Amino acid sequence: MENAAEALKMAGAVLIFVLAISIIIFAFGQVRETSDTILNYKDRETEYISDEENHYYQTIDRERVVGLETVIPSIFRAYLEQYKIVFEGLNEPLFYVKDKLTGQYDIPKYTLDLETGKNEIYTNPNLGTNEMKRAFLSGIVYGDFSSKVLENNNNSLLNNTKLGFERKFLVELKNLSPLYNRLQNRTIIEYLGVYYPEDNPNKAEVNLQEKRIITYRIQ
């Protein structure tokens, strides 16, 4: 009887050992599968195609449909984090900037970025501080002109008005609706990528400053 009991104990131990080995092999298989998935998953910002006309890069097959809860925070981070946002498919621009040659505010802008002022053809929105950036975006997105940075001590009649906003930031809104209203009930497709603010063919790519770009295609 004692031998039989010992035999049963040994058989049980072997069974437990085999079961433990099976679990370990299964676990390692799962870990490997997970790691392979992670390694094979390409980051949305590392796969690009070149658009020679606009000099920016766009991801391939890494698009996603987003809502205003994604777009609006991205807009308000654009100037603070210094990346570029491009809007495609809007019937009208975000705002108009001044043509230095004609003196007219007739150049439409469909992008939000700090590189605008490097162009000698048109003026750049006056965005000296973070408070001014927030006030500018609030006006463009919501039609909100209530920021304290828009207060004009010389002419209080311009306070909290669209005209005061335009004079403060050197832009014109004309009859444009706030962007928020124009994006409602629209399908918005987001593409992430990078671009080079300085497009110099004689400069090595490793020496060019790379910046993020978000493209929103409005349908």
Side-chain angles (χ1 to χ4, degrees), residues 75-131:
I75 291 174
F76 277 86
R77 291 198 309 268
Y79 288 123
L80 299 179
E81 298 182 12
Q82 299 187 18
Y83 57 82
K84 183 174 184 177
I85 295 183
V86 176
F87 289 90
E88 297 180 354
L90 287 178
N91 296 328
E92 296 180 303
L94 303 174
F95 54 91
Y96 292 88
V97 292
K98 183 178 181 180
D99 187 328
K100 291 184 178 180
L101 298 178
T102 65
Q104 301 298 315
Y105 286 86
D106 54 11
I107 297 181
K109 293 297 297 177
Y110 292 85
T111 63
L112 294 172
D113 64 275
L114 291 177
E115 307 303 326
T116 306
K118 294 185 178 180
N119 194 314
E120 297 181 355
I121 299 176
Y122 52 84
T123 57
N124 183 42
N126 180 25
L127 304 174
T129 65
N130 288 341
E131 288 75 15

Side-chain angles (χ1 to χ4, degrees), residues 66-68 71 75 85-92 94 110 179 181-191 215-219:
V66 297
L68 289 173
V71 177
I75 291 174
I85 295 183
V86 176
F87 289 90
E88 297 180 354
L90 287 178
N91 296 328
E92 296 180 303
L94 303 174
Y110 292 85
L179 180 62
N181 296 345
R182 289 188 274 163
L183 294 181
Q184 285 187 315
N185 302 317
R186 301 288 296 273
T187 299
I188 307 171
I189 303 176
E190 178 191 76
Y191 304 85
T215 300
Y216 290 117
R217 186 167 297 161
I218 316 301
Q219 298 181 346

Side-chain angles (χ1 to χ4, degrees), residues 10-219:
M10 292 180 61
V14 171
L15 182 61
I16 294 173
F17 177 76
V18 171
L19 181 61
I21 291 294
S22 299
I23 293 174
I24 292 172
I25 293 174
F26 176 78
F28 274 111
Q30 290 294 101
V31 170
R32 180 174 180 178
E33 182 180 347
T34 302
S35 63
D36 288 342
T37 300
I38 294 173
L39 290 174
N40 290 329
Y41 185 83
K42 297 185 179 357
D43 186 88
R44 288 159 52 117
E45 296 185 49
T46 58
E47 195 172 48
Y48 313 108
I49 56 174
S50 175
D51 183 338
E52 295 299 335
E53 180 180 354
N54 297 304
H55 305 292
Y56 69 86
Y57 294 78
Q58 179 176 295
T59 57
I60 303 173
D61 297 329
R62 294 300 179 190
E63 63 190 58
R64 64 170 180 164
V65 177
V66 297
L68 289 173
E69 72 281 355
T70 298
V71 177
I72 300 303
S74 295
I75 291 174
F76 277 86
R77 291 198 309 268
Y79 288 123
L80 299 179
E81 298 182 12
Q82 299 187 18
Y83 57 82
K84 183 174 184 177
I85 295 183
V86 176
F87 289 90
E88 297 180 354
L90 287 178
N91 296 328
E92 296 180 303
L94 303 174
F95 54 91
Y96 292 88
V97 292
K98 183 178 181 180
D99 187 328
K100 291 184 178 180
L101 298 178
T102 65
Q104 301 298 315
Y105 286 86
D106 54 11
I107 297 181
K109 293 297 297 177
Y110 292 85
T111 63
L112 294 172
D113 64 275
L114 291 177
E115 307 303 326
T116 306
K118 294 185 178 180
N119 194 314
E120 297 181 355
I121 299 176
Y122 52 84
T123 57
N124 183 42
N126 180 25
L127 304 174
T129 65
N130 288 341
E131 288 75 15
M132 294 177 70
K133 294 170 186 174
R134 282 190 285 268
F136 176 72
L137 292 174
S138 292
I140 298 299
V141 175
Y142 297 115
D144 178 8
F145 312 122
S146 61
S147 174
K148 290 185 178 181
V149 302
L150 298 177
E151 294 180 357
N152 189 321
N153 296 327
N154 297 323
N155 188 349
S156 60
L157 295 177
L158 294 178
N159 292 348
N160 304 326
T161 66
K162 183 174 75 170
L163 180 57
F165 175 90
E166 293 174 330
R167 291 188 178 181
K168 180 69 174 182
F169 295 115
L170 305 178
V171 300
E172 277 195 7
L173 300 180
K174 301 185 185 298
N175 294 320
L176 297 174
S177 298
L179 180 62
Y180 183 87
N181 296 345
R182 289 188 274 163
L183 294 181
Q184 285 187 315
N185 302 317
R186 301 288 296 273
T187 299
I188 307 171
I189 303 176
E190 178 191 76
Y191 304 85
L192 301 183
V194 296
Y195 78 107
Y196 299 96
E198 180 185 1
D199 182 44
N200 186 349
N202 298 319
K203 192 171 184 179
E205 185 172 318
V206 294
N207 295 324
L208 294 175
Q209 185 179 15
E210 182 180 279
K211 290 195 174 183
R212 293 175 55 203
I213 182 171
I214 302 176
T215 300
Y216 290 117
R217 186 167 297 161
I218 316 301
Q219 298 181 346

